[in-house]
Each structure stands twice: as C-alpha cells, then as structure tokens.
Amino acid sequence: MQPEQILTHPANRLTESDRTRYFEQGYLAIPGAISPGWVRRLRGAMEEVVERSRSCTQSDGVFDLEEGHSAEAPRLHRLYSPQDHHPVFWEFVASDEMTALAADVVGPDVKFHHAKLNFKTGKGSRGFKWHQDIQSWPHTDYSPVTIGVYIDGCEADQGPLTMVPGTHQGPLYSMYDEAGNYVARLRDGDLTWMREDMVDAPVGPPGTVILLNCRTIHGSATNTSQRARPLFLAVYSSADAFPYTASPIDSPRLGEIVRGRPARFASFDQRPCELPPDWSRVRYAGPWQMQKAEEARKAAAG
Ligand SMILES: O=C(O)CCC(=O)C(=O)O
C-alpha cells in the first residue's frame, strides 16, 4: 500500500504528527513505547535463549556467535527468527502492541516477514556499516517497516541505530562491492555527500521503539560500553506487498497476516530495487560474517 492510501486510515497508536514525521524522515523513534509488562516478558524469553546458547560452539542458522563466546560468558551477535525459538517472541510479533504500530505505517492489513534479535553484548561488539534493508529482501512496494525494540533501553555509548533522515526518498544504492560480492553495506564512494550532522541516533529507556522504513539509510556503531544492547527487530509490510525473492531469514511464519485481512490484489511501486543473491541457493551469512569475509579479501589483496 502506498503512503497516501495508508494515511486515509485513522491511526491506532501514533499521533498524526508522528505518522507524518515517519513518512517525511523514513523513521520514527518513540521512547518507552512498549509497556513494562511486555518488556519484562521479552527480557525473560531473551534470558532463556541466551542460556541455550551456552552449549553452542559455532555460528549456525539459529545463533550468530560473537568472538569470545563461551559457555561461561555468552557473547552473541544475533538470534535468527526468535519467534520460532520462544513462544513469547511470536506472541509479541502478533500482539496488538506491535501490530497497531505497524498498521499506523503500513495500513490496516499487516503481514509478517521476518524477525531477529541483535544482542551487541558490549565491550567492543561490532556495529553495522551504512546500508538499506530492502535490497536484501525486495518487495513489490516499499511499505515494509522494521520495528526495533530496545529491550533494556539504549544509550549513546551502546551503538544505537543511526539513521539519515529523508534518505528513503532518495536512491537505493548497491549492496555489492566493486568485485561483485554481496557485502550488505553501501559503498563509501556512493556516500561522499553524507556529513556527520545529517545523522540521527535516537536513544531511550527500556521499550523504546524505532520504526524504520525499508529504504532508509542506517547503520550503528560499536558498543563500547560494558552493557549489552539487545534490540528485537520485526519486519512487517502491507498485506498487499509481496516479496519476490527468497528471504535471507526464513520462517514458517513468513507471510502470515498478523492484523486485518489478506490482500486480493498486489501493490506495485515501479522504482527499481537491486536483487540480492538467490537466498534459496546461497546461504545468508549475516552481516558480521560478510564483514569478516570482506576484511579477509582485503588482507589477501595486500
Ligand atoms: O543492531 C543494529 O545495531 C543494527 C541492525 C540493522 O541495521 C539490521 O539488522 O539491519
């Protein structure tokens, strides 16, 4: 569904000015938007999955392990598809708490695509280079939104999400390097126009939400603090937007309607989107492995 049509439906949770800001900036931060009850449940589920990661010795399709991970002191980059590994996460994805927010920016009929839980354990956990999301999972329109929830809150030294306002209206850049490797980040040469004072890095207490449009340029810095920065991320679209490539992160829940009704017609936005590798044939390695592979290629090239 296109923004003009979405805005004809009354908002559920956001004020009209917040909605306008989302469509103007390409993101919106809402400090403490998620209720303390849900934050407590998410934290409990997260602690359970971290316990499970203690027996994990190498990254697999479930956990992406950070350097130095051990049974005694788990260090995790990410839990893939948390909604398939703990019932509380699916309950949350499909809850009114989340889908009412999603509906405010994608329209009344809401479809789930995928989710992940990024941990950024602290004491130097890597950040994310500048990227746009939609090139990794193209859809027939640009309604997809990622709803990020800072379970324990986020402060400036914990590597918050950083966004460049208005970039959802600009071009989609390549996520391949000059040699044709998919690197899930934008090329430095495409970003020479970017200045530090253009970047926004909202922070907030536990339950703070970031609504992020799929075209917006964003990234995040290293978590230099001693504290983990768990960020639960769930991707939704309008029910009438359809992915046309395999998803990098698969789930039996992909495509489930979590609010409203399924579509009878698809929505199309003609603006082009670069295609990712065919994720049904090429395993999606995640941004950290891609970064390491890129560093190794650079080192080998001298
Ligand atoms: O966890 C982060 O800091 C960034 C997450 C992100 O940009 C992504 O998963 O696409």
Side-chain angles (χ1 to χ4, degrees):
M1 190 176 273
Q2 310 289 331
E4 313 75 60
Q5 225 184 325
I6 294 166
L7 287 166
T8 64
H9 295 272
N12 303 287
R13 285 281 306 276
L14 301 182
T15 62
E16 286 307 332
S17 72
D18 275 349
R19 277 217 297 183
T20 305
R21 201 136 39 94
Y22 171 82
F23 286 109
E24 277 173 9
Q25 297 186 144
Y27 67 92
L28 181 71
I30 323 169
I34 300 300
S35 65
W38 265 118
V39 169
R40 231 181 350 262
R41 294 187 71 197
L42 291 172
R43 196 175 287 138
M46 179 176 76
E47 283 164 6
E48 283 182 41
V49 294
V50 170
E51 267 316 297
R52 280 184 231 159
S53 79
R54 290 180 191 274
S55 59
C56 193
T57 54
Q58 59 183 23
S59 298
D60 52 24
V62 179
F63 290 109
D64 203 320
L65 305 183
E66 193 178 335
E67 295 83 351
H69 170 84
S70 68
E72 297 71 41
R75 285 187 69 81
L76 305 172
H77 283 309
R78 175 180 280 177
L79 168 66
Y80 287 99
S81 299
Q83 77 285 351
D84 299 337
H85 299 291
H86 197 294
V88 163
F89 292 124
W90 175 251
E91 216 187 302
F92 184 59
V93 164
S95 70
D96 186 63
E97 193 92 350
M98 287 288 267
T99 64
L101 285 169
D104 283 351
V105 295
V106 308
D109 302 316
V110 181
K111 187 157 61 183
F112 172 71
H113 189 257
H114 74 272
K116 49 215 170 186
L117 176 55
N118 289 350
F119 287 91
K120 259 199 194 171
T121 307
K123 304 176 197 149
S125 309
R126 281 174 186 243
F128 280 65
K129 301 204 165 144
W130 294 115
H131 64 285
Q132 293 165 303
D133 286 336
I134 195 68
Q135 296 92 320
S136 291
W137 26 268
H139 278 59
T140 56
D141 73 15
Y142 295 104
S143 63
V145 62
T146 297
I147 305 188
V149 179
Y150 287 121
I151 297 177
D152 288 339
C154 183
E155 291 173 26
D157 59 350
Q158 291 181 283
L161 277 172
T162 47
M163 276 75 63
V164 189
T167 47
H168 64 309
Q169 315 272 23
L172 289 179
Y173 295 98
S174 181
M175 298 261 276
Y176 291 82
D177 67 12
E178 284 77 2
N181 303 294
Y182 197 78
V183 287
R185 70 172 183 88
L186 308 185
R187 299 178 189 179
D188 295 341
D190 283 337
L191 299 176
T192 50
W193 50 269
M194 205 193 277
R195 294 188 322 267
E196 220 170 281
D197 65 355
M198 292 175 174
V199 175
D200 189 16
V203 292
T208 290
V209 157
I210 309 283
L211 299 172
L212 178 69
N213 179 262
C214 62
R215 296 178 63 99
T216 304
I217 296 181
H218 65 285
S220 67
T222 303
N223 180 357
T224 56
S225 81
Q226 303 292 309
R227 307 170 314 281
R229 188 230 57 181
L231 174 61
F232 181 82
L233 298 149
V235 179
Y236 304 89
S237 74
S238 308
D240 60 4
F242 289 83
Y244 51 85
T245 60
S247 176
I249 301 176
D250 210 359
S251 165
R253 299 287 191 184
L254 191 153
E256 222 169 279
I257 300 297
V258 287
R259 192 180 184 97
R261 305 214 304 231
R264 298 199 48 204
F265 296 89
S267 158
F268 292 96
D269 185 321
Q270 299 289 333
R271 287 174 293 171
C273 182
E274 179 181 67
L275 295 172
D278 180 353
W279 301 125
S280 67
R281 292 164 191 275
V282 178
R283 194 178 82 82
Y284 171 70
W288 303 275
Q289 312 257 0
M290 287 186 207
Q291 271 186 39
K292 277 192 215 155
E294 205 184 351
E295 284 158 14
R297 280 193 299 273
K298 279 191 185 142

